[in-house]
Amino acid sequence: MNKISGVRRVVGAVLIKDLRIEVRSRVVTNQVLPFAGLIMIMFAFALDNDDVLQRVAGGLIWLATMFSLVVIVQRSFAIDTSDGALDLLRVAGVDLSAVFLGKAIALTMQLLVLDVVLVAAAFLLYQVQVSAVGFVLLVTCVIFATTGLGFVGTLYGGLTAGAKGRETLLPLLLLPVMAPVLIAATRATEAAFGSGGAVTSEGWAWVGLLAVFAAVFGLGGTLAFGPLIDE
Amino acid sequence: MDNAGFIVASYLITIGGISLFALLTLLRAKKSARLVLDRDKTWL
Amino acid sequence: MSQVSPRLAITITGTGTRFTRVLGVLAVVVMTWVVVSGLFLTPQDVVQGDAVRIMYIHVPSAWIAYIAFIVTAVASAFWILSKRHSMGFDRVAGASGEVGVLFVAITLVTGSLWGRITWGEFWQWDPRLTTTAFLFVTYIGYLAVRQLEGSIEQRARRSAVIALLAVLEIPLVHFSVVFWRSLHQKATVLDPNGDVKMDGLMLFTLFSGVIGFTLVFVWLVVHRQRTMLLGDLADQQGLDTAILARQNEGVSD
Amino acid sequence: MTNGKLINGKLINGKIVDFADVVIVYDNFPAIAGATFTVASGEIVLLQGPNGAGKTTLLRACAGLLPITRGTANVLGCDLRSDRFAVRSRVGLLGHANGLYQDLTVLENMLFWSRLVGATRSDIDQAMSAIGLASRLSQTRVAHLSAGQRRRCALATLIVRRAQLWLLDEPHAGLDAQGRDELDRTLRTARDSGATIIFASHEIERARSLATRSLTVAGGVVTST
């Protein structure tokens, strides 16, 4: 009982700390969002065809999310390592699983904001359309996908935090691991948009896969984060 | 043999890759073995 | 303890033993047979023609690649679960991971050469190929994690966790890729491993390939694992001198 | 684990830190090359020595942050070789870095660290006044503080923790004369209420007057006791 309330306290403290710092520093809103938006616009230049853009909109949203994720994760751990706070977290003897959960939830919430903007950009720039059922599918897909990405990003971000060559090591480790999310979230989003004649009902199976992914890495991360970041 | 080029190339790459790995491992072993006492080499 | 100074007691002996020499000779003999039989003795396949000859090395190398990653995962699990955290498990995991990456690379190269002959293309987004490619990248990441700075124990802990996560990841990747392809486009191409009617010699050669590659795998892992131990020990040998040098820093000040 | 039993938070054999021939290797460099020393309960021990002598590594090792390569190390009755994690919640470490979040205010930082260890708001107020951190600063972001104010803030987070063993790396650095007086007073108070203190300092004069004993560290070895 005592342990659970202790864990909840640490999760809450870390979550509030991370979110408050993000709100204050506005790095996500002032830098990552424009970066993600820029990716969407650049794709429009590169593909240069409205029909193609409508078809691939789902994939572009998730590619932009994942590239931004790498940036946000690195930033999230730079906050903790820049003034030695991560060391003090270890010495404080707090449960590192709770730190993992707190940071992962904070990361997921930032990704949710990012995805709302990216989906809006897809509506504006790529002229995609969505039905009411499709909208429900889309929202569910975004929630599960960002949760999975939040877990996996926090886990690998912790591993590479403070390591030499982390700027290149993090994407090397993270991008292949995120492949199932890219495939599943893209298909589900396409089903929601009805891109290329995809049917909405096809999307739900993909959401199931996203849920499995989030569960696997939520559990794996909770267990593995402590051993991974400790010296 | 049809497509002899592709077939022979695949055999060469396989044998070559394995041999290269084996060679590098042995060379590295020789180098470190100079520095280590025989009694530490548990397999001897 | 003998009176001989440590320096004199060193004789240059590598990682070979009688066991590995026998293993090595056996591996060379079997592999030579596989090459000769695969290239010259076995008949053409009715459908695939001479292209089927790549199968004798492609299929065993894919098989060994998967075995290697299973060995890595099992050894990593043993490292985590064992009370003493014996470093032997970590070295076997690392050695097997390296050899596995080598064999996945071979699998991908021979597979795409075979694909070039049967499909006319080096690459198809077929589930099995795609999963194998992800396997390749994932384990390159695993090897990169082993290179991170830190103590031997830290290396073992980090890489064991990553190896186990990778094992969880493989079915997820495979399932999503299979599901992706089955929904969108059916692979209409010739399956390189299917459509082969095997006669006795072909089957025997394929079987020899599996045996030969397994022998090669064991030989490589044993040697690589011992080389890692030598490397760690050599670092420790340097450590004694380094400790003395470090202590003398204080004296000179 | 049997090396010292805790009764009312104190070790009965009195040895808070017991290092014997400790070697600590990081990236093949022996930062600590065979250190032997003990610290008894209630001592204030000064570690002195040139830069790069190994003082910081020694303090971090006592906090259970570094794996011990050789030798035996015991802190607060915990064997660091078999389990260096158990000791962590009972020591307080102040390193070169302050461990503060630049974009949070002083109070938010304090609340974050105290929430982690389950301290209360009144603990925070007490700690801030003990170290002379003006309460008007509590709404100021750490990024806008001077180096000395940051140091005080970091010390305040440490006081809140009520650690049994305090490990301080250059605690005087960046503080003005008044701040140093307040720090010394705080450390003496902490000692009087049962804490043991090990600190590294270049301010030899001041440090000697504070310390009950001093150790010299050089070349990764504790050379004089």
Side-chain angles (χ1 to χ4, degrees):
Chain A
M1 213 42 208
N2 205 359
K3 183 149 193 257
I4 293 171
S5 74
V7 166
R8 206 188 292 152
R9 199 180 61 221
V10 175
V11 172
V14 172
L15 170 64
I16 291 169
K17 181 262 297 177
D18 268 17
L19 287 182
R20 191 175 270 155
I21 290 174
E22 266 331 313
V23 170
R24 294 257 166 87
S25 66
R26 297 186 193 285
V27 168
V28 168
T29 42
N30 290 358
Q31 290 170 26
V32 180
L33 278 180
F35 169 69
L38 206 55
I39 295 177
M40 300 287 276
I41 294 170
M42 299 303 261
F43 271 126
F45 294 157
L47 300 174
D48 190 26
N49 180 320
D50 283 353
D51 295 337
V52 174
L53 279 174
Q54 264 178 30
R55 272 220 55 187
V56 301
L60 298 187
I61 289 173
W62 291 106
L63 266 183
T65 306
M66 285 174 194
F67 287 133
S68 311
L69 171 73
V70 175
V71 180
I72 303 177
V73 166
Q74 244 149 19
R75 150 103 186 135
S76 166
F77 280 94
I79 290 168
D80 288 316
T81 49
S82 66
D83 196 26
L86 198 58
D87 271 354
L88 294 192
L89 276 174
R90 291 188 193 122
V91 181
V94 295
D95 189 347
L96 290 172
S97 305
V99 176
F100 169 79
L101 289 174
K103 285 193 86 68
I105 296 171
L107 181 59
T108 303
M109 291 169 84
Q110 294 171 47
L111 286 176
L112 274 175
V113 173
L114 177 74
D115 276 335
V116 168
V117 174
L118 286 176
V119 169
F123 278 107
L124 283 172
L125 298 172
Y126 304 161
Q127 287 94 38
V128 293
Q129 269 143 25
V130 67
S131 63
V133 190
F135 187 73
V136 176
L137 173 65
L138 184 63
V139 170
T140 326
C141 160
V142 167
I143 288 171
F144 280 110
T146 50
T147 308
L149 292 178
F151 282 137
V152 82
T154 308
L155 180 58
Y156 285 86
L159 169 67
T160 54
K164 280 182 202 127
R166 59 181 167 279
E167 297 85 357
T168 42
L169 183 59
L170 182 65
L172 173 67
L173 294 173
L174 209 46
L175 291 174
V177 177
M178 293 192 299
V181 177
L182 179 64
I183 296 175
T186 300
R187 298 309 138 200
T189 309
E190 282 176 358
F193 290 160
S195 321
V199 195
T200 313
S201 58
E202 277 179 7
W204 292 105
W206 290 112
V207 172
L209 185 69
L210 290 172
V212 171
F213 185 92
V216 165
F217 278 94
L219 190 65
T222 310
L223 293 174
F225 187 72
L228 271 186
I229 72 162
D230 224 310
E231 290 178 31
Chain B
M1 202 189 290
D2 308 328
N3 299 306
F6 289 125
I7 295 168
V8 171
S10 68
Y11 273 74
L12 284 180
I13 288 165
T14 304
I15 303 298
I18 294 170
S19 310
L20 190 68
F21 186 93
L23 193 70
L24 286 177
T25 305
L26 289 181
L27 285 179
R28 231 196 290 189
K30 273 266 174 325
K31 212 175 122 203
S32 324
R34 278 168 214 278
L35 303 166
V36 177
L37 295 174
D38 277 353
R39 69 178 150 83
D40 286 335
K41 297 172 187 162
T42 46
W43 53 86
L44 287 179
Chain C
M1 286 292 278
S2 69
Q3 293 297 305
V4 189
S5 78
R7 197 160 275 285
L8 288 176
I10 294 176
T11 52
I12 300 165
T13 317
T15 47
T17 49
R18 188 194 288 175
F19 168 70
T20 62
R21 277 176 211 119
V22 171
L23 195 68
V25 169
L26 270 176
V28 170
V29 169
V30 177
M31 288 302 285
T32 311
W33 155 251
V34 172
V35 171
V36 170
S37 173
L39 281 181
F40 306 110
L41 305 181
T42 49
Q44 288 187 347
D45 181 63
V46 189
V47 185
Q48 301 217 359
D50 282 316
V52 77
R53 298 185 190 285
I54 294 181
M55 176 183 72
Y56 307 118
I57 52 171
H58 173 75
V59 171
S61 62
W63 159 257
I64 291 301
Y66 278 87
I67 293 283
F69 295 138
I70 291 169
V71 170
T72 298
V74 170
S76 300
F78 269 110
W79 186 87
I80 289 178
L81 296 177
S82 69
K83 277 262 151 38
R84 283 178 50 245
H85 292 312
S86 160
M87 285 302 154
F89 290 128
D90 172 61
R91 287 192 294 270
V92 170
S96 186
E98 279 184 24
V99 178
V101 166
L102 170 74
F103 278 93
V104 180
I106 289 173
T107 307
L108 288 172
V109 172
T110 53
S112 56
L113 287 172
W114 193 359
R116 176 68 181 74
I117 301 173
T118 51
W119 306 327
E121 289 167 17
F122 284 109
W123 188 258
Q124 289 274 346
W125 289 102
D126 146 271
R128 210 171 339 173
L129 263 73
T130 313
T131 308
T132 311
F134 273 112
L135 206 62
F136 184 55
V137 189
T138 305
Y139 280 89
I140 284 183
Y142 169 78
L143 296 184
V145 168
R146 292 189 71 85
Q147 299 300 318
L148 284 177
E149 73 263 46
S151 64
I152 294 174
E153 185 202 316
Q154 232 173 316
R155 177 187 78 191
R157 176 150 15 93
R158 282 190 191 130
S159 56
V161 169
I162 292 295
L164 293 181
L165 285 175
V167 166
L168 288 179
E169 171 73 6
I170 297 306
L172 281 173
V173 169
H174 186 73
F175 182 69
S176 60
V177 174
V178 169
F179 198 23
W180 165 43
R181 287 285 91 172
S182 66
L183 273 182
H184 277 252
Q185 61 189 71
K186 278 271 179 284
T188 48
V189 288
L190 198 62
D191 182 353
N193 302 333
D195 305 319
V196 177
K197 280 247 182 293
M198 289 213 247
D199 73 359
L201 183 61
M202 292 168 84
L203 210 57
F204 181 68
T205 308
L206 182 60
F207 181 69
S208 317
V210 171
I211 300 290
F213 274 74
T214 308
L215 293 172
V216 168
F217 168 72
V218 175
W219 189 92
L220 287 176
V221 170
V222 168
H223 274 274
R224 185 67 190 98
Q225 182 272 122
R226 286 175 185 169
T227 311
M228 280 183 183
L229 178 58
L230 283 180
D232 291 348
L233 287 171
D235 283 347
Q236 268 179 35
Q237 293 280 312
L239 185 59
D240 287 326
T241 359
I243 288 175
L244 281 176
R246 175 78 170 136
Q247 288 168 347
N248 286 331
E249 271 175 39
V251 177
S252 63
D253 277 342
Chain D
M1 287 307 274
T2 53
N3 195 1
K5 280 193 186 114
L6 277 172
I7 292 171
N8 294 334
K10 285 191 180 160
L11 286 163
I12 48 170
N13 71 355
K15 276 184 188 170
I16 296 291
V17 177
D18 189 357
F19 273 36
D21 293 320
V22 168
V23 173
I24 294 173
V25 179
Y26 198 78
D27 272 345
N28 291 322
F29 176 72
I32 298 300
T36 303
F37 72 104
T38 59
V39 174
S41 179
E43 281 193 290
I44 302 181
V45 174
L46 162 67
L47 299 179
Q48 54 183 17
N51 287 332
K55 302 187 296 287
T56 300
T57 312
L58 220 46
L59 290 171
R60 287 172 63 84
C62 287
L65 277 177
L66 300 172
I68 309 289
T69 315
R70 293 183 192 168
T72 57
N74 207 290
V75 175
L76 291 166
C78 303
D79 182 357
L80 295 190
R81 288 208 74 161
S82 63
D83 182 12
R84 62 196 157 83
F85 303 98
V87 80
R88 290 184 178 178
S89 52
R90 294 160 58 199
V91 301
L93 175 72
L94 176 70
H96 289 294
N98 291 318
L100 300 173
Y101 294 100
Q102 308 290 309
D103 288 315
L104 298 184
T105 66
V106 169
L107 186 63
E108 285 163 347
N109 267 291
M110 299 286 307
L111 281 171
F112 173 68
W113 288 108
S114 56
R115 227 176 256 150
L116 293 185
V117 295
T120 63
R121 182 67 195 265
S122 70
D123 292 333
I124 297 177
D125 292 339
Q126 263 177 17
M128 282 179 71
S129 70
I131 200 67
L133 194 63
S135 53
R136 68 181 161 79
L137 285 175
S138 58
Q139 299 303 327
T140 312
R141 286 192 203 181
V142 170
H144 300 150
L145 295 182
S146 70
Q149 288 165 330
R150 283 182 206 189
R151 207 64 181 154
R152 286 181 194 207
C153 186
L155 282 162
T157 62
L158 193 66
I159 295 168
V160 165
R161 296 198 48 197
R162 297 180 191 284
Q164 288 164 280
L165 173 63
W166 293 37
L167 303 158
L168 309 165
D169 204 355
E170 303 287 347
H172 296 103
L175 292 179
D176 53 19
Q178 193 201 343
R180 287 171 185 180
D181 288 341
E182 275 153 354
L183 170 64
D184 289 359
R185 207 180 320 121
T186 308
L187 293 184
R188 288 199 182 97
T189 314
R191 197 270 308 266
D192 292 342
S193 56
T196 305
I197 296 162
I198 307 176
F199 72 108
S201 185
H202 281 304
E203 310 278 329
I204 298 297
E205 289 305 309
R206 173 174 287 276
R208 284 222 173 108
S209 69
L210 171 67
T212 57
R213 187 158 65 102
S214 67
L215 300 174
T216 305
V217 185
V221 178
V222 179
T223 51
S224 71
T225 48

